[in-house]
PDB file of all heavy atoms in Angstrom:
ATOM      1  N   ASP A1458      28.079   1.891  54.147  1.00  0.00           N
ATOM      2  CA  ASP A1458      27.485   2.505  52.959  1.00  0.00           C
ATOM      3  C   ASP A1458      28.248   1.987  51.744  1.00  0.00           C
ATOM      4  O   ASP A1458      29.431   2.291  51.575  1.00  0.00           O
ATOM      5  CB  ASP A1458      27.598   4.034  53.076  1.00  0.00           C
ATOM      6  CG  ASP A1458      26.941   4.768  51.921  1.00  0.00           C
ATOM      7  OD1 ASP A1458      26.883   4.201  50.814  1.00  0.00           O
ATOM      8  OD2 ASP A1458      26.502   5.909  52.128  1.00  0.00           O
ATOM      9  N   GLN A1459      27.585   1.203  50.889  1.00  0.00           N
ATOM     10  CA  GLN A1459      28.280   0.574  49.767  1.00  0.00           C
ATOM     11  C   GLN A1459      28.774   1.599  48.750  1.00  0.00           C
ATOM     12  O   GLN A1459      29.846   1.431  48.158  1.00  0.00           O
ATOM     13  CB  GLN A1459      27.400  -0.488  49.096  1.00  0.00           C
ATOM     14  CG  GLN A1459      26.314   0.031  48.184  1.00  0.00           C
ATOM     15  CD  GLN A1459      25.115   0.551  48.946  1.00  0.00           C
ATOM     16  OE1 GLN A1459      24.991   0.346  50.159  1.00  0.00           O
ATOM     17  NE2 GLN A1459      24.209   1.207  48.240  1.00  0.00           N
ATOM     18  N   ALA A1460      28.026   2.680  48.536  1.00  0.00           N
ATOM     19  CA  ALA A1460      28.474   3.713  47.586  1.00  0.00           C
ATOM     20  C   ALA A1460      29.745   4.386  48.102  1.00  0.00           C
ATOM     21  O   ALA A1460      30.664   4.683  47.335  1.00  0.00           O
ATOM     22  CB  ALA A1460      27.370   4.740  47.363  1.00  0.00           C
ATOM     23  N   GLN A1461      29.785   4.611  49.407  1.00  0.00           N
ATOM     24  CA  GLN A1461      30.978   5.205  50.004  1.00  0.00           C
ATOM     25  C   GLN A1461      32.182   4.281  49.867  1.00  0.00           C
ATOM     26  O   GLN A1461      33.300   4.724  49.552  1.00  0.00           O
ATOM     27  CB  GLN A1461      30.721   5.512  51.477  1.00  0.00           C
ATOM     28  CG  GLN A1461      31.842   6.232  52.173  1.00  0.00           C
ATOM     29  CD  GLN A1461      31.536   6.499  53.637  1.00  0.00           C
ATOM     30  OE1 GLN A1461      32.365   6.287  54.513  1.00  0.00           O
ATOM     31  NE2 GLN A1461      30.327   6.962  53.922  1.00  0.00           N
ATOM     32  N   ALA A1462      31.973   2.988  50.081  1.00  0.00           N
ATOM     33  CA  ALA A1462      33.072   2.025  49.969  1.00  0.00           C
ATOM     34  C   ALA A1462      33.598   1.955  48.535  1.00  0.00           C
ATOM     35  O   ALA A1462      34.816   1.909  48.306  1.00  0.00           O
ATOM     36  CB  ALA A1462      32.600   0.645  50.435  1.00  0.00           C
ATOM     37  N   ILE A1463      32.702   1.962  47.550  1.00  0.00           N
ATOM     38  CA  ILE A1463      33.112   1.958  46.142  1.00  0.00           C
ATOM     39  C   ILE A1463      33.872   3.235  45.809  1.00  0.00           C
ATOM     40  O   ILE A1463      34.923   3.210  45.159  1.00  0.00           O
ATOM     41  CB  ILE A1463      31.875   1.797  45.226  1.00  0.00           C
ATOM     42  CG1 ILE A1463      31.277   0.399  45.380  1.00  0.00           C
ATOM     43  CG2 ILE A1463      32.243   2.072  43.770  1.00  0.00           C
ATOM     44  CD1 ILE A1463      29.912   0.236  44.726  1.00  0.00           C
ATOM     45  N   ALA A1464      33.351   4.371  46.272  1.00  0.00           N
ATOM     46  CA  ALA A1464      33.987   5.660  45.985  1.00  0.00           C
ATOM     47  C   ALA A1464      35.378   5.745  46.593  1.00  0.00           C
ATOM     48  O   ALA A1464      36.303   6.302  45.979  1.00  0.00           O
ATOM     49  CB  ALA A1464      33.104   6.798  46.499  1.00  0.00           C
ATOM     50  N   ARG A1465      35.555   5.198  47.787  1.00  0.00           N
ATOM     51  CA  ARG A1465      36.872   5.266  48.436  1.00  0.00           C
ATOM     52  C   ARG A1465      37.919   4.458  47.665  1.00  0.00           C
ATOM     53  O   ARG A1465      39.066   4.883  47.529  1.00  0.00           O
ATOM     54  CB  ARG A1465      36.783   4.793  49.887  1.00  0.00           C
ATOM     55  CG  ARG A1465      36.053   5.770  50.796  1.00  0.00           C
ATOM     56  CD  ARG A1465      36.279   5.480  52.261  1.00  0.00           C
ATOM     57  NE  ARG A1465      35.504   6.356  53.116  1.00  0.00           N
ATOM     58  CZ  ARG A1465      35.800   7.627  53.378  1.00  0.00           C
ATOM     59  NH1 ARG A1465      36.870   8.176  52.820  1.00  0.00           N
ATOM     60  NH2 ARG A1465      35.037   8.351  54.177  1.00  0.00           N
ATOM     61  N   GLU A1466      37.538   3.304  47.140  1.00  0.00           N
ATOM     62  CA  GLU A1466      38.481   2.507  46.352  1.00  0.00           C
ATOM     63  C   GLU A1466      38.781   3.195  45.025  1.00  0.00           C
ATOM     64  O   GLU A1466      39.939   3.238  44.587  1.00  0.00           O
ATOM     65  CB  GLU A1466      37.926   1.108  46.109  1.00  0.00           C
ATOM     66  CG  GLU A1466      38.829   0.207  45.277  1.00  0.00           C
ATOM     67  CD  GLU A1466      40.166  -0.120  45.921  1.00  0.00           C
ATOM     68  OE1 GLU A1466      40.298   0.041  47.163  1.00  0.00           O
ATOM     69  OE2 GLU A1466      41.090  -0.546  45.185  1.00  0.00           O
ATOM     70  N   ALA A1467      37.762   3.748  44.387  1.00  0.00           N
ATOM     71  CA  ALA A1467      37.982   4.488  43.137  1.00  0.00           C
ATOM     72  C   ALA A1467      38.866   5.698  43.390  1.00  0.00           C
ATOM     73  O   ALA A1467      39.766   6.008  42.594  1.00  0.00           O
ATOM     74  CB  ALA A1467      36.647   4.915  42.537  1.00  0.00           C
ATOM     75  N   SER A1468      38.641   6.374  44.498  1.00  0.00           N
ATOM     76  CA  SER A1468      39.458   7.542  44.872  1.00  0.00           C
ATOM     77  C   SER A1468      40.920   7.157  45.037  1.00  0.00           C
ATOM     78  O   SER A1468      41.822   7.849  44.555  1.00  0.00           O
ATOM     79  CB  SER A1468      38.917   8.137  46.181  1.00  0.00           C
ATOM     80  OG  SER A1468      39.831   9.048  46.755  1.00  0.00           O
ATOM     81  N   ARG A1469      41.148   6.038  45.703  1.00  0.00           N
ATOM     82  CA  ARG A1469      42.522   5.585  45.946  1.00  0.00           C
ATOM     83  C   ARG A1469      43.237   5.291  44.640  1.00  0.00           C
ATOM     84  O   ARG A1469      44.411   5.628  44.463  1.00  0.00           O
ATOM     85  CB  ARG A1469      42.487   4.330  46.829  1.00  0.00           C
ATOM     86  CG  ARG A1469      43.853   3.827  47.266  1.00  0.00           C
ATOM     87  CD  ARG A1469      43.736   2.564  48.083  1.00  0.00           C
ATOM     88  NE  ARG A1469      43.405   1.405  47.285  1.00  0.00           N
ATOM     89  CZ  ARG A1469      44.276   0.738  46.533  1.00  0.00           C
ATOM     90  NH1 ARG A1469      45.543   1.137  46.446  1.00  0.00           N
ATOM     91  NH2 ARG A1469      43.895  -0.327  45.849  1.00  0.00           N
ATOM     92  N   ARG A1470      42.522   4.696  43.698  1.00  0.00           N
ATOM     93  CA  ARG A1470      43.145   4.310  42.431  1.00  0.00           C
ATOM     94  C   ARG A1470      43.302   5.485  41.460  1.00  0.00           C
ATOM     95  O   ARG A1470      44.226   5.494  40.657  1.00  0.00           O
ATOM     96  CB  ARG A1470      42.329   3.194  41.769  1.00  0.00           C
ATOM     97  CG  ARG A1470      42.497   1.854  42.473  1.00  0.00           C
ATOM     98  CD  ARG A1470      41.561   0.794  41.914  1.00  0.00           C
ATOM     99  NE  ARG A1470      41.921  -0.528  42.451  1.00  0.00           N
ATOM    100  CZ  ARG A1470      42.692  -1.407  41.850  1.00  0.00           C
ATOM    101  NH1 ARG A1470      43.212  -1.132  40.662  1.00  0.00           N
ATOM    102  NH2 ARG A1470      42.968  -2.571  42.396  1.00  0.00           N
ATOM    103  N   LEU A1471      42.404   6.443  41.534  1.00  0.00           N
ATOM    104  CA  LEU A1471      42.419   7.555  40.584  1.00  0.00           C
ATOM    105  C   LEU A1471      43.119   8.801  41.125  1.00  0.00           C
ATOM    106  O   LEU A1471      43.434   9.718  40.362  1.00  0.00           O
ATOM    107  CB  LEU A1471      40.986   7.926  40.185  1.00  0.00           C
ATOM    108  CG  LEU A1471      40.197   6.864  39.427  1.00  0.00           C
ATOM    109  CD1 LEU A1471      38.734   7.286  39.292  1.00  0.00           C
ATOM    110  CD2 LEU A1471      40.805   6.617  38.054  1.00  0.00           C
ATOM    111  N   GLY A1472      43.325   8.829  42.445  1.00  0.00           N
ATOM    112  CA  GLY A1472      43.939  10.012  43.032  1.00  0.00           C
ATOM    113  C   GLY A1472      43.011  11.215  43.058  1.00  0.00           C
ATOM    114  O   GLY A1472      43.459  12.361  43.046  1.00  0.00           O
ATOM    115  N   ILE A1473      41.701  10.957  43.092  1.00  0.00           N
ATOM    116  CA  ILE A1473      40.710  12.025  43.209  1.00  0.00           C
ATOM    117  C   ILE A1473      40.161  11.989  44.632  1.00  0.00           C
ATOM    118  O   ILE A1473      39.721  10.936  45.093  1.00  0.00           O
ATOM    119  CB  ILE A1473      39.559  11.833  42.203  1.00  0.00           C
ATOM    120  CG1 ILE A1473      40.091  11.805  40.767  1.00  0.00           C
ATOM    121  CG2 ILE A1473      38.508  12.935  42.359  1.00  0.00           C
ATOM    122  CD1 ILE A1473      39.035  11.430  39.735  1.00  0.00           C
ATOM    123  N   PRO A1474      40.157  13.105  45.359  1.00  0.00           N
ATOM    124  CA  PRO A1474      39.647  13.084  46.736  1.00  0.00           C
ATOM    125  C   PRO A1474      38.181  12.668  46.786  1.00  0.00           C
ATOM    126  O   PRO A1474      37.415  12.919  45.843  1.00  0.00           O
ATOM    127  CB  PRO A1474      39.809  14.540  47.197  1.00  0.00           C
ATOM    128  CG  PRO A1474      40.747  15.173  46.240  1.00  0.00           C
ATOM    129  CD  PRO A1474      40.628  14.432  44.955  1.00  0.00           C
ATOM    130  N   VAL A1475      37.807  12.029  47.887  1.00  0.00           N
ATOM    131  CA  VAL A1475      36.408  11.666  48.120  1.00  0.00           C
ATOM    132  C   VAL A1475      35.956  12.361  49.396  1.00  0.00           C
ATOM    133  O   VAL A1475      36.711  12.441  50.371  1.00  0.00           O
ATOM    134  CB  VAL A1475      36.225  10.129  48.217  1.00  0.00           C
ATOM    135  CG1 VAL A1475      37.037   9.520  49.350  1.00  0.00           C
ATOM    136  CG2 VAL A1475      34.757   9.759  48.385  1.00  0.00           C
ATOM    137  N   ASP A1476      34.742  12.904  49.399  1.00  0.00           N
ATOM    138  CA  ASP A1476      34.175  13.543  50.588  1.00  0.00           C
ATOM    139  C   ASP A1476      32.854  12.857  50.897  1.00  0.00           C
ATOM    140  O   ASP A1476      31.850  13.087  50.221  1.00  0.00           O
ATOM    141  CB  ASP A1476      33.978  15.039  50.357  1.00  0.00           C
ATOM    142  CG  ASP A1476      33.649  15.785  51.653  1.00  0.00           C
ATOM    143  OD1 ASP A1476      33.138  15.133  52.589  1.00  0.00           O
ATOM    144  OD2 ASP A1476      33.895  17.004  51.715  1.00  0.00           O
ATOM    145  N   ALA A1477      32.882  11.999  51.910  1.00  0.00           N
ATOM    146  CA  ALA A1477      31.687  11.243  52.279  1.00  0.00           C
ATOM    147  C   ALA A1477      30.803  12.004  53.260  1.00  0.00           C
ATOM    148  O   ALA A1477      29.761  11.492  53.674  1.00  0.00           O
ATOM    149  CB  ALA A1477      32.097   9.904  52.881  1.00  0.00           C
ATOM    150  N   HIS A1478      31.228  13.206  53.653  1.00  0.00           N
ATOM    151  CA  HIS A1478      30.478  13.963  54.655  1.00  0.00           C
ATOM    152  C   HIS A1478      29.946  15.282  54.124  1.00  0.00           C
ATOM    153  O   HIS A1478      29.358  16.058  54.863  1.00  0.00           O
ATOM    154  CB  HIS A1478      31.366  14.219  55.873  1.00  0.00           C
ATOM    155  CG  HIS A1478      31.964  12.975  56.448  1.00  0.00           C
ATOM    156  ND1 HIS A1478      31.202  12.023  57.102  1.00  0.00           N
ATOM    157  CD2 HIS A1478      33.236  12.498  56.433  1.00  0.00           C
ATOM    158  CE1 HIS A1478      31.988  11.016  57.478  1.00  0.00           C
ATOM    159  NE2 HIS A1478      33.214  11.274  57.080  1.00  0.00           N
ATOM    160  N   ALA A1479      30.153  15.526  52.831  1.00  0.00           N
ATOM    161  CA  ALA A1479      29.687  16.787  52.249  1.00  0.00           C
ATOM    162  C   ALA A1479      28.165  16.841  52.182  1.00  0.00           C
ATOM    163  O   ALA A1479      27.564  17.900  52.337  1.00  0.00           O
ATOM    164  CB  ALA A1479      30.274  16.969  50.854  1.00  0.00           C
ATOM    165  N   CYS A1480      27.546  15.677  51.946  1.00  0.00           N
ATOM    166  CA  CYS A1480      26.095  15.615  51.771  1.00  0.00           C
ATOM    167  C   CYS A1480      25.490  14.621  52.749  1.00  0.00           C
ATOM    168  O   CYS A1480      26.143  13.666  53.167  1.00  0.00           O
ATOM    169  CB  CYS A1480      25.749  15.208  50.345  1.00  0.00           C
ATOM    170  SG  CYS A1480      26.405  16.332  49.099  1.00  0.00           S
ATOM    171  N   ARG A1481      24.244  14.861  53.065  1.00  0.00           N
ATOM    172  CA  ARG A1481      23.540  13.984  54.001  1.00  0.00           C
ATOM    173  C   ARG A1481      22.148  13.706  53.468  1.00  0.00           C
ATOM    174  O   ARG A1481      21.509  14.571  52.876  1.00  0.00           O
ATOM    175  CB  ARG A1481      23.453  14.679  55.364  1.00  0.00           C
ATOM    176  CG  ARG A1481      22.833  13.828  56.446  1.00  0.00           C
ATOM    177  CD  ARG A1481      23.018  14.465  57.811  1.00  0.00           C
ATOM    178  NE  ARG A1481      22.305  13.725  58.823  1.00  0.00           N
ATOM    179  CZ  ARG A1481      21.394  14.249  59.655  1.00  0.00           C
ATOM    180  NH1 ARG A1481      21.097  15.524  59.590  1.00  0.00           N
ATOM    181  NH2 ARG A1481      20.787  13.493  60.541  1.00  0.00           N
TER     182      ARG A1481
END
């Protein structure tokens, strides 16, 4: 999932948690 991959890198750099399983 490209949106998930982008969000995970942004999360790592910003220190904001990412939840890829909250929504389906």
Side-chain angles (χ1 to χ4, degrees):
D1458 183 331
Q1459 77 282 349
Q1461 185 181 135
I1463 292 169
R1465 289 195 184 283
E1466 179 64 19
S1468 166
R1469 185 182 74 78
R1470 287 173 170 264
L1471 296 171
I1473 301 172
V1475 60
D1476 191 336
H1478 306 291
C1480 301
R1481 184 169 174 235

